[in-house]
Amino acid sequence: MRKTFLFVCVMLLHYKALAADTLTIASGNKQVLVGKHLGVFEDPSGILTIDDMLRKDDQFEPVNTAVPVFTTQATYVWARLILKNKTGKDLWLYIGNPTTDSVLYYEKSYAHVISKLSGDKVPLNHRDIKSNRILFNISYTDAPTTVYLRFNIRLPRQFPIAIISSDAFNESGNLVFFLDGLFYGLIAVIVIYNLFLWIMIRDRSYIFYIGYIMFSGILLMHFDGITYAYLWPSYQGMNDHPAILASVPMFFAAFFVSEFLNLRQNFPLLLKGLWVFCAVWTCCCVISLSGGKFLALSISQTTAFFAALYFLLTGVLIYKRGYTPARYYLAGWTVLITGILVFLSKDMGWIGYNIFTANSLKIGTAAEAVLMAFALADRINFYKSERNKFESEKVYEQTERIRVESELKVAETLLLNYTENLRQKNNLIEQFKNDLEQMELKLKGTELGKGQSEHIEKLLQSIILTEDDWNEFRKLFDKVHQGYIYRIKSKYSNLTESDIRHIALLKLQLNSREMASMLGVTVEAVRKAKQRLRKKVDFHDSNLEELVAGI
């Protein structure tokens, strides 16, 4: 009697718990998230079977959230759902995480247990419902149905689990397929458009940008379960290397950043940081191929996030140096980083699960792709403007050089003519002096000679290079030999104005006789002036002309 009473109490408690956990579906026309009706049990060893779990019904812990978040790594988790189907038809159980390796599904109704398998390790034609999503058919029965799910959890992530009818899923799926088509169609259009631009322009930035966008699209297709369902359905082993799929677009991103911002020239130190990130991603690929795919994926995702921050910081520094195309670049990476943060926060359970958070990575990627396309176009306009500016400056410099050369030639001609005129004038004066000297000899001792002797002497001692002549001469000299007199005065501050005149005439390669005639002095006076110059400039070589020519 006592044993019977205890048995009844246990059964009542069991059915009370069963009633409290049971999810009743009256209509399958709307998706119902089942998280708050789930019970979970962690199996770190991974050795428990469905028979073991059937004996541990009282050890399942409630989730209490609409979307369960499994943050425990490297473990197995069992989930249990008790369902009462009042729709009169089969329902579908939907798991919104297509990249899960494998999900074991057990359905218990009455005393009968059936099992099914799905996940990215299971070919499409072997799944319970042939879809790139993880779906299981729950057979209709008027009795409560208990569903057990076994997940292999290696990384923190959310597992949206919902119940929905096949018709409602297909209807909502049409919208999802339409939105996915828009997104991947945008990616394809951007890739093709920029491929044509690369063919025409041959700018390496475009080919790196194409690689980055294309492989980012493939990575997101992997997250949606499209790649292994449609791109390589016969090569399930490709799904074992998500770290490689995540690293390849980042390789292209690093090369794109280097080329777009011209880091080799603008900031070589930042370029070394990009090579460090590339080395880490290379190691991730090697680790993944060596069997450590979850470790490689964890490192790759973490590195990708910090690399995106590094790309953003690099753009800020280059933009501050006046590189205006970096404005679109900065906007693109800011939007993508925001999308990544929202997506990761959703997976960690820090923010709620909804259509925006679930697609934040796609939204960020699409916005970044468009903004980077604008950035590339702005880059072309920037360099075109810089080239036009350079060509304008080059034309101006050429015009200015022609003008200066023309003025120099005119000045050289004027100086040559001026010097030649002085020489001719000097020859005439020399001849005139000789005639006067002869006249003086003839008139010597006469009354006329006594009156004219003083005037003849003054005429003989007159200066050919007058002050006005010197000023005009110096203007022409400065045009031909720009800064020469200034350099002489700066180097030898003890020189007088007379010394400067001697040096200027020496620069024109005039001989002592010509200098004497122009200055109105004797040849001997010129020689003595040269000796004084040698002492002042501390030049004891006999060839003073070489010193003057070399200054």
Side-chain angles (χ1 to χ4, degrees), residues 238-278:
M238 294 285 289
N239 303 329
D240 287 335
H241 304 291
I244 297 178
L245 292 176
S247 296
V248 171
M250 297 310 296
F251 277 116
F252 280 99
F255 285 110
F256 169 72
V257 170
S258 171
E259 193 69 23
F260 179 81
L261 298 178
N262 196 12
L263 293 184
R264 192 177 301 278
Q265 179 179 345
N266 293 332
F267 218 132
L269 183 61
L270 290 176
L271 183 61
K272 295 180 180 179
L274 297 183
W275 301 148
V276 172
F277 283 115
C278 289

Side-chain angles (χ1 to χ4, degrees), residues 60 68 151 188 297 344 353 385 400 416 471 476 507 523:
F60 280 84
F151 302 98
L297 181 60
L344 293 177
Y353 178 90
S385 175
E400 188 67 14
L416 182 63
N471 291 334
L476 294 173
K507 180 68 174 176
V523 174

Side-chain angles (χ1 to χ4, degrees), residues 58-247:
D58 58 337
Q59 297 183 28
F60 280 84
E61 298 292 334
V63 174
N64 296 325
T65 59
V67 178
V69 180
F70 299 137
T71 57
T72 305
Q73 298 186 31
T75 188
Y76 290 84
V77 174
W78 287 82
R80 182 195 64 188
L81 172 67
I82 303 172
L83 176 68
K84 179 64 176 177
N85 184 357
K86 293 185 177 182
T87 64
K89 55 185 178 182
D90 291 356
L91 295 173
W92 283 3
L93 186 142
Y94 163 65
I95 300 174
N97 203 316
T99 57
T100 306
D101 280 353
S102 62
V103 179
L104 276 170
Y105 171 93
Y106 297 94
E107 181 182 320
K108 178 187 175 186
S109 180
Y110 298 107
H112 183 61
V113 177
I114 60 175
S115 64
K116 303 174 185 179
L117 179 64
S118 188
D120 68 3
K121 289 291 186 66
V122 181
L124 199 65
N125 55 353
H126 291 170
R127 297 184 183 185
D128 184 33
I129 299 173
K130 294 176 177 56
S131 171
N132 61 303
R133 310 286 178 173
I134 297 179
L135 293 166
F136 296 100
N137 184 73
I138 305 175
S139 302
Y140 170 74
T141 176
D142 56 359
T145 300
T146 305
V147 173
Y148 294 89
L149 300 170
R150 181 178 182 265
F151 302 98
N152 183 4
I153 307 300
R154 294 299 181 97
L155 294 172
R157 62 176 61 183
Q158 279 188 332
F159 278 85
I161 303 174
I163 299 295
I164 192 171
S165 68
S166 59
D167 294 337
F169 180 84
N170 290 330
E171 184 178 344
S172 63
N174 291 334
L175 177 61
V176 172
F177 290 148
F178 174 73
L179 295 176
D180 284 347
L182 286 179
F183 172 75
Y184 292 114
L186 174 65
I187 296 297
V189 168
I190 290 176
V191 168
I192 295 172
Y193 173 71
N194 284 278
L195 182 60
F196 279 116
L197 288 179
W198 174 74
I199 292 173
M200 292 186 294
I201 300 174
R202 295 293 176 177
D203 185 341
R204 290 194 302 175
S205 298
Y206 280 90
I207 201 67
F208 294 139
Y209 172 69
I210 291 169
Y212 167 62
I213 294 299
M214 183 174 65
F215 283 102
S216 293
I218 292 174
L219 176 64
L220 292 173
M221 290 173 73
H222 169 74
F223 290 156
D224 284 339
I226 297 174
T227 53
Y228 47 82
Y230 303 109
L231 294 187
W232 47 74
S234 301
Y235 300 95
Q236 301 301 316
M238 294 285 289
N239 303 329
D240 287 335
H241 304 291
I244 297 178
L245 292 176
S247 296

Side-chain angles (χ1 to χ4, degrees), residues 2 26 30 34 93 118 122 148 219 299 324 406 432 449 509 526:
R2 184 178 178 183
K30 185 178 180 181
V34 303
L93 186 142
S118 188
V122 181
Y148 294 89
L219 176 64
I299 296 174
T324 54
S406 178
F432 185 53
Q509 299 180 351
V526 172

